[in-house]
Amino acid sequence: EAQVTQNPRYLITVTGKKLTVTCSQNMNHEYMSWYRQDPGLGLRQIYYSMNVEVTDKGDVPEGYKVSRKEKRNFPLILESPSPNQTSLYFCASSGSGRKQFFGPGTRLTVL
Amino acid sequence: SQELEQSPQSLIVQEGKNLTINCTSSKTLYGLYWYKQKYGEGLIFLMMLQKGGEEKSHEKITAKLDEKKQQSSLHITASQPSHAGIYLCGADNIGSNYQLIWGAGTKLIIKP
């Protein structure tokens, strides 16, 4: 089944404790992206990647890192999480068209 | 830069009634996508529109793109509890090959 998977789905952590949210797609898509969704603000793009080893900042990249060592994986790294990074995070991928396929989301709470 | 405005922000509708959600762009739309999100879950693709005047339907949901390609509407006929959720419109970002820009979403509640 074609899908985008994210792990974990839920995470509660404390300020400053490094964490990684994994994202994997099995559709051989070149484009992958991370978004955060906050009430009233819609989807805001954090980082995106056009292909392996090619990443670029989105609209809200501060406090986040990403890597794209393999085509299928695009992890999101928070080196030192802060409470303002509490949010619902989505990974998405896209192939030759622009239609994006979304993962199920990761709800992160930073205390 | 291009912006997408969705209206209304939220909507409460009696089950069985029809409703319309709008997505208006500050610039010409070259690709417009409608997604549905159940609360706290992932986004499910509904429909994509590209041509002025285009209309697509799936079950009881119809999406249209106006002739000027600056506004899209999503119409639900005879609403059901399963239609509840957040509806988001996204549009091709002309300055980028893959990026989409997004509306803030419309929260739909269906009253039984």
Side-chain angles (χ1 to χ4, degrees):
Chain A
E1 180 191 353
Q3 60 182 351
V4 179
T5 56
Q6 291 178 232
N7 281 293
R9 292 290 313 277
Y10 302 91
L11 180 60
I12 301 174
T13 189
V14 295
T15 298
K17 186 175 180 182
K18 181 180 178 179
L19 67 93
T20 299
V21 183
T22 64
C23 173
S24 183
Q25 50 94 5
N26 62 2
M27 295 169 278
N28 201 36
H29 285 166
E30 291 183 342
Y31 179 85
M32 297 185 75
S33 179
W34 275 104
Y35 295 95
R36 61 178 288 172
Q37 185 181 40
D38 303 288
L41 297 177
L43 285 174
R44 293 183 292 169
Q45 190 177 51
I46 303 170
Y47 269 94
Y48 64 96
S49 169
M50 302 285 281
N51 213 327
V52 175
E53 302 292 0
V54 180
T55 63
D56 210 345
K57 297 177 181 178
D59 299 317
V60 288
E62 294 76 22
Y64 304 94
K65 285 174 60 176
V66 293
S67 69
R68 187 94 182 270
K69 295 189 171 78
E70 305 167 282
K71 199 170 188 178
R72 63 183 292 127
N73 296 324
F74 190 44
L76 179 70
I77 303 156
L78 284 72
E79 295 268 3
S80 183
S82 62
N84 64 10
Q85 292 177 300
T86 292
S87 187
L88 180 58
Y89 291 87
F90 288 105
C91 179
S93 73
S94 179
S96 55
R98 295 192 188 215
K99 172 185 166 183
Q100 293 193 9
F101 294 78
F102 283 82
T106 295
R107 187 168 292 281
L108 172 65
T109 301
V110 183
L111 302 174
Chain B
S1 61
Q2 187 174 11
E3 294 183 352
L4 289 181
E5 185 173 327
Q6 278 187 246
S7 63
Q9 286 186 326
S10 63
L11 194 52
I12 302 174
V13 173
Q14 191 76 39
E15 183 177 353
K17 297 294 186 183
N18 303 337
L19 63 106
T20 300
I21 297 168
N22 293 304
C23 177
T24 303
S25 172
S26 57
K27 296 184 180 180
T28 301
L29 292 163
Y30 290 95
L32 189 286
Y33 307 79
W34 282 101
Y35 284 81
K36 179 190 172 187
Q37 181 185 16
K38 289 191 175 180
Y39 300 116
E41 297 183 13
L43 280 71
I44 299 166
F45 173 77
L46 295 175
M47 278 171 274
M48 173 188 165
L49 303 166
Q50 287 184 300
K51 300 174 185 174
E54 187 175 8
E55 180 175 319
K56 289 186 178 178
S57 294
H58 177 67
E59 297 180 345
K60 294 186 178 179
I61 301 177
T62 300
K64 300 179 186 179
L65 183 61
D66 74 339
E67 289 289 345
K68 292 184 178 179
K69 293 173 63 176
Q70 284 197 278
Q71 183 167 350
S72 178
S73 61
L74 188 80
H75 184 77
I76 299 177
T77 304
S79 58
Q80 301 169 347
S82 60
H83 289 130
I86 299 172
Y87 289 82
L88 291 102
C89 63
D92 290 343
N93 183 352
I94 303 308
S96 165
N97 285 332
Y98 288 92
Q99 283 181 294
L100 300 182
I101 58 170
W102 295 92
T106 295
K107 184 177 179 179
L108 174 62
I109 297 172
I110 307 294
K111 285 174 56 178

